[in-house]
């Protein structure tokens, strides 16, 4: 019998979702957390307290410090503080001939004074952000795998739309405690509720790395990738050091001029060949100023402060790519819109998770011995859907429990996440599936509930104190952890319930006569 278009699309939808589903769930969950990566980083470095300082002053104090510790560096990459970050962060490219030892891989300064801030080493929210498109795999394999899964996701979205017969009705239909029917309703509601977001976030995620996935046009037209970057993204021309020393001008006024030129704050600056006659200072506009994440930049001479070049006049294709990137990372979004993105991201994780559960629910026959493929998928579902949340909580707990002075503690925090995830994935194999679901969610609930407690015990910025002091970020973070714990506790309760079989009543006909 010949399959209809809808039947073919349903088959494609199911298998695309299954093959990539576990990776997509992890990408959605960690990507959703990444909408608050600056806040996560601040929470994971409780020694810092945010003090509002303008970008020009932060740039000036950063340059003064780097003149003391890296005057002969090749480049300084200076990330300036803003409303969501509390410190100036600097990465230096050392001069190979320099005899002065490097200070640290990342230099963190008080933006007001330019003094180093002593705090625990951590990857902070950057870990979740990097994992969601690199999957903790070496470059470029993680990005390739994430891109392949995103293509599968886009195919699943298109085939799912074609498969749906009652798109509008599914938005309002949710039947509880009906087995397979309930999982289908949950999948449909989570998919239809945020369908424009799901399509947008998947497509823009692909577009942001399209030059890596399809490098042939660039290779055919440019001898070096950097040449393409200079044309497409306004990367300033590389100026070779002349060997003639020249004092570096005050950087603060240059940043102030750049902000006046942009009509918006500056986000970072790059100083090349400091204290050389060929020195340059490039200032970049903050991405919050526009939907286009690739904003303009202006390059000044580091020796006399004159404008050398300015970018920002990109063509429609590059401007569109910048808008796609802006839509994906949402750096333009204010607090309310960022929380909206967060909620929509959770619906994406729910959509993928319920789709995986629906696959097993469709194939489970009452009283029949489950086949190997069904058992494998069910156990992978438990390992990922119930195992990843407590692993993410372990990463945050490790930040507080590993001694602040420990060597390599940033990598130890990441290892704590993956070891927890791996151990839970193995241990659940020894438990019946229903119990494994309930226990996995219960462990996650306990882990997230423990975060505010451990924070209060190990720091001076626990929930009671932060509420009293008006420490908004720390109070909101701890309350968010409590909310996540409550959601996982509800999941554990529902997964552990014993569903009673329906009672079938026989209706006896009364004989008359």
């Amino acid at each position: 019998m010949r399959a209809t278009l809808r039947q073919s699309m349903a088959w494609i939808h199911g298998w695309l979702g299954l093959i990539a589903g576990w990776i997509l769930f992890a990408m959605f969950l960690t990507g959703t957390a990444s909408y608050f990566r600056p806040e996560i980083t601040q929470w994971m470095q409780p020694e810092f307290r945010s003090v509002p300082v303008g970008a020009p002053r932060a740039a000036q104090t950063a340059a003064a410090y780097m003149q003391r510790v890296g005057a002969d560096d090749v480049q300084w990459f200076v990330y300036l503080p803003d409303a969501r970050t509390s410190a100036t962060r600097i990465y230096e490219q050392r001069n190979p001939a320099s005899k002065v030892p490097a200070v640290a891989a990342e230099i963190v300064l008080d933006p007001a004074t330019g003094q180093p801030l002593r705090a625990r080493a951590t990857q902070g929210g950057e870990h979740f952000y990097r994992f969601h498109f690199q999957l903790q795999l070496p470059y470029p394999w993680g990005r390739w795998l994430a891109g392949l899964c995103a293509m599968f996701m886009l195919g699943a979205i298109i085939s799912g739309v074609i498969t749906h017969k009652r798109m509008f009705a599914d938005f309002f239909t949710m039947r509880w405690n009906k087995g397979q029917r309930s999982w289908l309703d949950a999948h449909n509601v989570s998919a239809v509720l945020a369908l424009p977001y799901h399509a947008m976030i998947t497509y823009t995620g692909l577009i942001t790395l399209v030059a890596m996935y399809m490098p042939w046009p660039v290779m055919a037209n440019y001898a070096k990738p950097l040449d393409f970057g200079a044309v497409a993204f306004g990367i300033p021309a590389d100026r070779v050091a002349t060997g003639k020393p020249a004092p570096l001008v005050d950087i603060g006024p240059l940043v102030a001029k750049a902000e006046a030129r942009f009509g918006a704050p500056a986000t970072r600056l790059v100083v090349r060949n400091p204290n050389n006659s060929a020195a340059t200072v490039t200032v970049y506009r903050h991405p919050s100023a526009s939907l286009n994440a690739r904003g303009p930049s202006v390059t000044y001479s580091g020796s006399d402060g004159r404008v050398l070049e300015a970018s920002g006049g990109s063509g429609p294709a590059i401007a569109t790519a910048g808008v796609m990137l802006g839509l994906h990372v949402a750096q333009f979004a204010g607090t309310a819109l960022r929380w909206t993105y967060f909620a929509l991201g959770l619906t994406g994780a729910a959509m993928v998770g319920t789709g995986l559960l629906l696959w097993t629910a469709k194939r489970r026959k009452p009283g029949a011995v489950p086949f190997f493929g069904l058992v494998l998928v069910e156990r992978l579902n438990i390992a990922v859907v119930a195992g990843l949340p407590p692993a993410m909580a372990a990463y945050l707990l490790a930040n507080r429990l590993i001694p602040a002075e420990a060597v390599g503690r940033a990598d130890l925090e990441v290892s704590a996440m993956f070891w927890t995830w791996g151990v839970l994935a193995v241990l659940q194999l020894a438990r019946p599936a229903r119990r494994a679901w309930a226990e996995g969610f219960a462990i996650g609930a306990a882990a997230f509930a423990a975060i505010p407690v451990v924070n209060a015990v190990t720091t001076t910025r626990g929930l009671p104190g932060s509420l009293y002091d008006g420490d908004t970020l720390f109070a909101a973070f701890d309350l968010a952890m409590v909310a996540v714990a409550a959601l996982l506790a509800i999941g554990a309760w529902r997964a552990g319930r014993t569903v009673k079989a329906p009672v079938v009543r026989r209706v006896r006909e009364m004989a008359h006569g």
Side-chain angles (χ1 to χ4, degrees), residues 9 18 106 193 323 472:
M9 289 296 105
L18 177 68
E106 178 189 54
L193 178 66
V323 170
T472 307

Side-chain angles (χ1 to χ4, degrees), residues 30 33-34 36-42 44 79 89 91 106 122-134 136 143 331 395 414:
T30 53
S34 300
F36 291 98
R37 59 175 164 151
E39 289 79 8
I40 293 173
T41 300
Q42 283 199 62
M44 296 182 76
Y79 290 81
R89 298 178 184 272
Y91 303 89
E106 178 189 54
T122 180
Q123 292 188 25
E126 195 70 17
H127 166 61
F128 292 140
Y129 173 69
R130 294 287 170 185
F131 175 81
H132 107 276
F133 69 91
Q134 294 185 159
Q136 209 67 16
R143 298 187 182 196
Q331 289 181 307
Y395 173 69
V414 175

Side-chain angles (χ1 to χ4, degrees), residues 133 143-144 146-147 204-214 294:
F133 69 91
R143 298 187 182 196
W144 274 99
T204 55
L206 283 169
I207 290 297
T208 56
L209 297 176
V210 69
M212 189 189 77
Y213 299 142
M214 301 179 66
R294 292 193 174 103

